């Protein structure tokens, strides 16, 4: 018999290739793809192309579809696309909502794909990146008890201790699943024009009668300036992708990896001398004059700080930079806002950074110039006490190395929660003109000598206050703390960078505790 007669009417390999290519190219349909393109928006596969090294993406779950027979043909990938790839040569796992398939809504099979990929990322020890744009849970799939109970609320993403970096981007309307995962993430970036919320304006209006726009509910301004639920905002999807790539460049791939150090960008003697000179003159001698804490931090470190939550808690700068080529977490006072005083959001974002640094064994640098905490009814009612103590707990529980420089002011509990005296710092130094104490002497003079000042005639009251404050200021000199060894050393401001560089180089070969011995890897995401 002719062997050709035994062949299948259709080559199974060719049939497979045709089916695979059709699913990947057509996604939810050419009309929906065209509609996205007309709106100037990217589909999820185009987003992967921006994020990953060219040709590195390997898909998982191409042939997945809804487990509802009526929808199986119309749900390629079941609204979620994912796989593995490379960013700057480093392995990552990526998933994204496919808005062309039922608005990227979440159902049983699509959610199983997310879980499967997260398990693979954890096993391999590489970051997991979620590109979110979902209409929430799919209806009617999740209305009944069977579908609803099989669509768990992503318990795998909340497992502690955390093993790998989890990153989310909010790129469109994101309700339900993608919003939940963003709240569990180590880094969240949101694109202007998108919406991040638990549920949609339509559901809110039906349930409560309240009419609210997408921007009012969960737009970039809401989350970057008020809630603090995102770490960065972006004007375009390309900017969001770049922010993800930058964030991941500061982190190791998992808790089992050491961070990769880079060659120092400013190690030549001439460049170091110029930088040291600029550090020494960057801070005004008068404590009443503000300066930009970002500029000072950029001089002390190798580069500008990649800030986390820059538009909330603005009296404090938190983020990542490098010191002598080594990644460091940075907590620095920002005298340009509230004179560097701490508020609720400042405490929350500092706690978040300490948690990430402790989990991934990243050393930290604290730059102090703070008059203390904000006071008043509003901050007290916003639970400042709770937030301050949460920061205190995170700091004393962390085991990652922490170095502190006191620049000018360091008053009250704010000194301690910014890695001050007796808080377990690996290095604590101060500039000669620094003031360390319970309270700003000018405020303290008013409190301690209130009756004396009240009895003083108006023409001489200010002079007496200045005299009393100066007497109290004498006791806040750093020499008292240095004499009792509660700080390590008083340093010339021009030595700041060299002192920190020396310490970070000594820490480079330190023994890193195993993941289970890093307490804040168990700390809830905040």
């Amino acid at each position: 018999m002719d062997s050709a007669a035994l062949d299948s009417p259709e080559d199974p390999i060719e049939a497979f290739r045709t089916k695979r290519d059709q699913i990947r190219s057509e996604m939810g349909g050419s009309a929906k793809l065209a509609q996205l393109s007309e709106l100037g928006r990217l589909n999820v596969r185009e987003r992967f192309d921006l994020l990953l090294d060219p040709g590195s993406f390997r898909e998982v779950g191409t042939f997945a579809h809804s487990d509802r027979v009526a929808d199986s043909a119309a749900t390629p990938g079941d609204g979620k696309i994912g796989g593995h790839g490379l960013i700057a040569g480093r392995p990552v796992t990526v998933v994204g909502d496919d808005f062309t398939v039922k608005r990227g809504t979440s159902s049983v099979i699509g959610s199983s794909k997310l879980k499967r990929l997260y398990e693979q990322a954890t096993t391999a020890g590489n970051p997991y990146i979620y590109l979110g744009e979902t209409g929430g849970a799919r209806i009617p799939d999740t209305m009944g008890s069977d579908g609803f109970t099989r669509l768990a609320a992503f318990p795998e993403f909340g497992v502690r201790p955390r093993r790998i970096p989890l990153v989310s981007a909010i790129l469109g309307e994101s309700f339900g699943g993608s919003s939940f995962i963003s709240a569990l993430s180590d880094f969240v970036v949101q694109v202007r024009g998108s919406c991040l919320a638990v549920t949609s304006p339509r559901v809110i209006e039906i349930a409560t009668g309240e009419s609210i726009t997408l921007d009012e509910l969960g737009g970039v301004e809401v989350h970057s300036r008020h809630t603090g639920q995102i770490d960065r905002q972006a004007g375009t999807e390309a900017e969001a992708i770049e922010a993800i790539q930058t964030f991941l460049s500061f982190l190791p791939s998992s808790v089992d990896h050491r961070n990769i150090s880079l060659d120092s960008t400013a190690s030549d003697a001439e460049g170091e001398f110029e930088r040291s000179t600029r550090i020494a003159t960057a801070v005004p001698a008068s404590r009443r004059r503000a300066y930009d804490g970002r500029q000072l931090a950029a001089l002390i470190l190798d580069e500008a700080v990649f800030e986390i939550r820059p538009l909330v808690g603005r009296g404090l700068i938190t983020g990542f930079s490098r010191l002598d080529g080594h990644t460091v977490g940075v907590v620095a006072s920002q005298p340009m806002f509230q004179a560097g005083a701490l508020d609720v959001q400042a405490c929350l974002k500092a706690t978040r950074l300490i948690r990430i640094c402790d989990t991934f064994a990243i050393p930290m640098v604290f730059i102090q110039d703070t008059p203390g905490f904000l006071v008043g009814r509003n901050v007290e009612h916003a639970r400042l006490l709770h937030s301050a103590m949460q920061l205190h707990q995170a700091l004393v529980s962390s085991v990652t190395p922490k170095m502190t420089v006191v620049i000018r002011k360091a008053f009250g509990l704010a000194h301690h929660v910014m890695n001050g005296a007796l808080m377990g710092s690996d290095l604590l130094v101060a500039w000669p003109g620094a003031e360390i104490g319970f309270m700003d002497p000018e405020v303290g003079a008013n409190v301690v000598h209130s009756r004396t000042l009240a009895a003083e005639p108006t023409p001489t009251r200010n002079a007496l206050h200045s005299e009393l404050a100066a007497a109290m200021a004498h006791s806040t000199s750093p020499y008292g703390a240095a004499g009792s060894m509660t700080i390590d050393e008083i340093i010339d401001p021009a030595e700041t960078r060299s002192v920190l560089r020396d310490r970070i180089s000594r820490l480079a070969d330190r023994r890193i505790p195993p993941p289970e011995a890093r307490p804040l890897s168990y700390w809830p995401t905040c």
Side-chain angles (χ1 to χ4, degrees), residues 432-502:
E435 299 175 80
I436 305 171
F438 173 69
M439 186 181 291
D440 186 319
E442 295 190 4
V443 177
N446 279 323
V447 173
V448 175
H449 302 288
S450 58
R451 292 183 180 178
T452 301
L453 290 168
E456 185 74 15
T458 302
T460 57
R461 186 179 300 156
N462 288 341
L464 177 59
H465 174 265
S466 297
E467 181 181 332
L468 294 170
M472 296 185 76
H474 181 73
S475 67
T476 64
S477 159
Y479 291 97
S484 62
M485 277 303 300
T486 48
I487 67 173
D488 294 316
E489 192 62 271
I490 300 172
I491 64 170
D492 186 323
E495 298 174 333
T496 304
R497 181 167 159 79
S498 63
V499 167
L500 291 174
R501 289 181 68 196
D502 176 71

Side-chain angles (χ1 to χ4, degrees), residues 68-84:
R68 295 183 74 245
V69 175
D71 277 340
S72 61
T75 52
D78 204 25
K80 314 293 178 184
I81 298 175
H84 310 289

Side-chain angles (χ1 to χ4, degrees), residues 19-300:
K19 185 173 184 178
R20 180 191 63 185
D21 294 347
Q22 182 178 7
I23 290 171
R24 292 180 177 178
S25 62
E26 294 185 4
M27 299 170 65
S30 56
K32 293 179 180 178
L33 289 172
Q35 185 179 25
L36 283 179
S37 180
E38 288 170 5
L39 293 171
R41 298 172 55 201
L42 302 177
N43 65 60
V44 64
R45 293 186 183 278
E46 291 171 330
R47 290 166 177 166
F48 288 169
D49 290 341
L50 270 183
L51 176 67
L52 302 173
D53 295 351
S56 67
F57 181 59
R58 294 292 178 267
E59 189 160 347
V60 173
T62 300
F63 301 98
H65 55 73
S66 172
D67 61 351
R68 295 183 74 245
V69 175
D71 277 340
S72 61
T75 52
D78 204 25
K80 314 293 178 184
I81 298 175
H84 310 289
L86 303 173
I87 294 179
R90 294 172 60 193
V92 297
T93 297
V94 293
V95 296
D97 299 316
D98 183 0
F99 204 70
T100 69
V101 175
K102 295 187 178 294
R103 299 176 65 84
T105 48
S106 301
S107 62
V108 173
I109 302 303
S111 297
S112 296
K113 183 187 296 189
L114 301 185
K115 177 180 179 180
R116 176 63 173 163
L117 284 163
Y118 190 77
E119 290 171 346
Q120 291 177 345
T122 302
T123 299
N126 61 247
Y128 185 97
I129 304 166
Y130 191 109
L131 306 183
E133 182 181 20
T134 176
R138 189 180 303 164
I139 297 174
D141 302 50
T142 57
M143 288 299 293
S145 61
D146 174 47
F148 175 71
T149 54
R150 287 193 291 152
L151 187 66
F154 308 105
E156 59 277 0
F157 294 101
V159 169
R160 297 294 186 272
R162 177 65 52 75
R163 308 293 301 184
I164 57 175
L166 176 57
V167 173
S168 292
I170 304 302
L171 305 175
E173 296 175 13
S174 291
F175 311 115
S178 57
S179 67
F180 300 154
I181 293 175
S182 76
L184 291 167
S185 295
D186 299 301
F187 180 73
V188 184
V189 58
Q190 182 179 4
V191 172
R192 188 169 294 279
S194 66
C195 179
L196 170 62
V198 173
T199 194
S200 69
R202 181 184 178 191
V203 172
I204 291 172
E205 185 170 8
I206 292 171
T208 69
E210 178 186 8
S211 179
I212 189 170
T213 68
L214 289 168
D215 273 346
E216 291 169 339
L217 178 64
V220 161
E221 290 299 307
V222 170
H223 293 312
S224 63
R225 295 184 182 274
H226 300 289
T227 70
Q229 289 186 162
I230 64 172
D231 297 301
R232 302 277 293 200
Q233 61 169 282
T236 65
E237 294 191 21
E239 289 179 12
I241 295 298
E242 183 179 3
I244 290 172
Q245 294 167 332
T246 301
F247 173 78
L248 289 176
S249 74
F250 290 109
L251 268 68
S253 294
S254 77
V255 295
D256 298 309
H257 291 80
R258 275 184 178 268
N259 228 328
I260 300 171
S261 61
L262 306 177
D263 291 335
S264 176
T265 56
S267 58
D268 63 286
E270 184 177 345
E272 285 296 321
F273 177 78
E274 179 189 0
R275 184 177 284 229
S276 298
T277 302
R278 292 173 64 194
I279 290 171
T281 59
V283 178
S286 171
R287 68 210 311 272
R288 292 182 176 275
R289 289 186 58 196
Y291 61 90
D292 192 342
R294 292 185 182 91
Q295 294 180 5
L296 178 63
L299 288 172
I300 291 174

